[in-house]
Amino acid sequence: MAPPRGQPQSATVRFAHESEEEFARILDFYGVIWEYEPRTFPLEEKDGRLALAFTPDFYLPDLDLYVELTTLKQKLVTEKHRKVRLLQERYPDVQIKLLNRSDYLSLLAKYGFGPFSELEVAGIHEVLISAAELERRVKELGAEISRDYKDREPLLIGVLRGAACFMSDLMRHISLPLTTDYMAISSYDGEQGEVQIVKDLEEPLAGRDVIIVADIVDTGMTLSWLLETLRLRNPASLKVCALLDKPARRLPKVPIDYCGFVVPDKFVVGYGLDFRQKFRNLPFIAALKHGPPR
Ligand code: IMP
Ligand code: MG
C-alpha cells in the first residue's frame, strides 16, 4: 500500500534495479504518487495456459499511466517494445509509456533532484555515476575502511574543495571513532611551480593513522605532492581514499588504497567536483559537454 503523501515512498520499496529506485526518487521529489509493479497483464496463452505476461515497472495513478524503464540492456529493449505493443492491442484502455535510456538521462539531468538551472542542464552531456550508485559505493568504502582500521582511530583528511561531499558521506559510513581535518591546496597547474597550501591542517600527524580523502586523481601530481608533504610530518601510516580515478592522464605513479570508481578520460563534475566553481551541488557525477581546453 502506498504511504501517505509527503512521505518518500522510495525508502520503503525494494527495487529490482537502481535506475528504478532513482526514477522513484524523482517522482517523490515532484510529489507524483506512484506504485511499483502493481499489476501483471497476461499477454499470450498457449493450450489454455499463460505463455507470456508483462509487469510494467510503475503505475502513476494521478495520470492513469504505466511506465516501463528501458535503461538497462539494449538487447532487452526490442522485447519490451513487443510486449508494450501486445499490451496495447489487448488492453486498449491502458496507457503505457516506454522510457528509454536517453529519455531517462535527460530527465535525470534536468530534474536530478538538485537545484539545476536551464543553463546548467545544457552544459551536461551525460550522467556517468548516479546518486544511487554513489551512495552504494561510498557505503562499501566506509565498511572496508571500518574493517581495515578496526581498533584504531583514523584521521581523515579531506582535500578541499572537491572532496566535501565525498568526505561528509564517507565519514558517516565508518563505524569507528575518528577525527577529521581539512586541507586546501592550489591545484597543480602543470608548471614548474610547487603546489601551495591555501589552508593547512590543524591536527598534528605524528604517530597517527592518516587517510587522505580526495575527489579525483587525474594526473596524480597533486596527490603525489600531498603524499610527500604529509609523510614529512611522520604519520604512523598514510593511505589514500579517492572517489574517482582517471588513469588515462596519470603522470607519476601514485597509490590509491581505496578507490570509488574508475572514470574515462572526460571532464567530470558534480558531487563536489566543479568546472570553474560550478556544478559542485549536483547529486551525481556527470560529464561536461564541453570540458576545459587541455
Ligand atoms: P591532478 O593533480 O591532475 O591529479 O588533479 C588534481 C585536482 O584537479 C583534483 O583534485 C580536482 O580538483 C581537479 N580535477 C582533475 N580532473 C578533474 C575533473 O575531471 N573534474 C573536476 N575536477 C578535476
Ligand atoms: Mg576544481
Side-chain angles (χ1 to χ4, degrees):
M1 208 182 62
R5 267 178 200 269
Q7 187 177 319
Q9 297 183 79
S10 48
T12 61
V13 174
R14 272 203 159 274
F15 294 94
H17 299 287
E18 270 166 14
S19 56
E20 294 170 355
E21 183 172 351
E22 219 156 48
F23 183 68
R25 285 205 243 172
I26 294 174
L27 295 174
D28 279 348
F29 180 76
Y30 281 91
V32 177
I33 298 292
W34 53 268
E35 293 169 40
Y36 180 62
E37 299 189 343
R39 184 170 166 193
T40 297
F41 296 88
L43 293 182
E44 282 175 352
E45 278 89 19
K46 237 183 224 133
D47 310 319
R49 291 187 28 207
L50 185 62
L52 185 68
F54 184 32
T55 309
D57 299 319
F58 291 90
Y59 176 61
L60 313 180
D62 291 346
L63 303 176
D64 188 22
L65 177 71
Y66 287 88
V67 173
E68 175 68 12
L69 300 180
T70 60
T71 58
L72 303 164
K73 301 222 162 42
Q74 200 57 39
K75 67 172 196 275
L76 297 178
V77 172
T78 323
E79 174 65 6
K80 283 194 175 175
H81 276 283
R82 195 174 79 88
K83 285 187 170 185
V84 166
R85 210 178 49 245
L86 285 172
L87 187 142
Q88 284 171 328
E89 278 167 23
R90 210 164 155 173
Y91 306 90
D93 292 335
V94 169
Q95 300 188 77
I96 181 158
K97 191 171 166 45
L98 257 183
L99 227 53
N100 68 30
R101 184 158 178 86
S102 67
D103 290 339
Y104 174 73
L105 285 178
S106 57
L107 200 75
L108 243 186
K110 194 160 180 188
Y111 300 119
F113 28 93
F116 225 160
S117 72
E118 280 298 315
L119 210 74
E120 287 176 316
V121 177
I124 297 291
H125 176 60
E126 60 178 328
V127 175
L128 288 181
I129 307 168
S130 70
E133 286 173 299
L134 284 168
E135 198 179 315
R136 184 177 49 74
R137 185 68 187 126
V138 172
K139 202 168 167 177
E140 282 173 5
L141 289 173
E144 210 178 310
I145 290 171
S146 306
R147 273 195 308 274
D148 294 354
Y149 286 78
K150 191 173 176 294
D151 301 323
R152 287 188 285 169
E153 198 170 324
L155 167 59
L156 302 189
I157 295 179
V159 186
L160 294 174
R161 290 174 236 178
C165 294
F166 181 39
M167 176 82 162
S168 57
D169 284 343
L170 179 70
M171 71 164 93
R172 282 177 285 181
H173 290 297
I174 299 177
S175 52
L176 298 170
L178 57 78
T179 311
T180 63
D181 201 351
Y182 295 88
M183 193 168 184
I185 50 183
S186 64
S187 272
Y188 196 87
D189 58 6
E191 299 293 316
Q192 291 276 305
E194 280 257 297
V195 179
Q196 299 290 322
I197 297 179
V198 177
K199 180 217 167 285
D200 206 342
L201 299 168
E202 289 168 47
E203 296 286 326
L205 301 194
R208 321 239 334 234
D209 291 308
V210 174
I211 306 174
I212 297 173
V213 179
D215 55 354
I216 183 168
V217 184
D218 186 10
T219 64
M221 295 301 282
T222 308
L223 181 59
S224 162
W225 177 88
L226 203 56
L227 282 166
E228 248 173 63
T229 306
L230 298 187
R231 233 176 240 128
L232 295 175
R233 301 184 190 185
N234 298 314
S237 66
L238 183 58
K239 299 251 158 142
V240 174
C241 178
L243 177 70
L244 306 175
D245 177 8
K246 197 198 283 179
R249 288 170 23 98
R250 191 67 31 84
L251 296 171
K253 218 171 163 230
V254 283
I256 304 177
D257 304 282
Y258 303 94
C259 170
F261 302 87
V262 175
V263 290
D265 187 11
K266 292 178 175 172
F267 198 83
V268 294
V269 294
Y271 195 66
L273 287 92
D274 75 304
F275 172 52
R276 297 184 182 154
Q277 301 310 327
K278 292 261 167 2
F279 301 110
R280 291 196 199 274
N281 58 337
L282 300 186
F284 45 74
I285 299 281
L288 278 193
K289 221 172 246 168
H290 309 288
R294 280 175 174 158

